[in-house]
Amino acid sequence: MIEQMFLESRIEIKDLVVSGIHGSTEREPHDKQRFRVSMKIDVDAGQAALTDSIKHAFDYKIAASIAKDVIGRESHVLLEKIVARIITRIC
């Protein structure tokens, strides 16, 4: 019986649209803008494949929710900062 297994898998979230207030120009910090986000997340799906249990699966809805929260509730000057905040919270 196999007890452990490494199975690399990629989760993709494409074209998630979220409104937020970000930017560096005079107008950007005052007006909501639409941001389109796509993510590729590499995960180990081995345990989920072995157990066939949702509790061992990566929940892509949490990743999408984190992106929505960072973009919709925080305010940053640079896109790089937004990306770093999303990555930090997912990982």
Side-chain angles (χ1 to χ4, degrees), residues 18-83:
V18 184
S19 293
I21 298 176
H22 304 278
S24 63
T25 68
E26 189 175 314
R27 184 175 174 173
E28 286 176 325
H30 304 288
D31 295 329
K32 277 196 171 186
Q33 303 174 66
R34 288 176 32 160
F35 292 84
R36 185 179 309 268
V37 179
S38 295
M39 296 183 268
K40 294 179 182 178
I41 306 166
D42 292 327
V43 298
D44 177 5
Q47 193 65 23
L50 285 173
T51 64
D52 197 26
S53 172
I54 194 76
K55 72 179 183 179
H56 294 128
F58 178 82
D59 190 345
Y60 68 90
K61 290 176 280 185
I62 291 174
S65 177
I66 288 170
K68 288 178 185 178
D69 189 55
V70 169
I71 294 168
R73 295 178 183 250
E74 298 181 12
S75 184
H76 301 288
V77 174
L78 300 175
L79 290 174
E80 292 85 350
K81 178 66 174 188
I82 298 168
V83 171

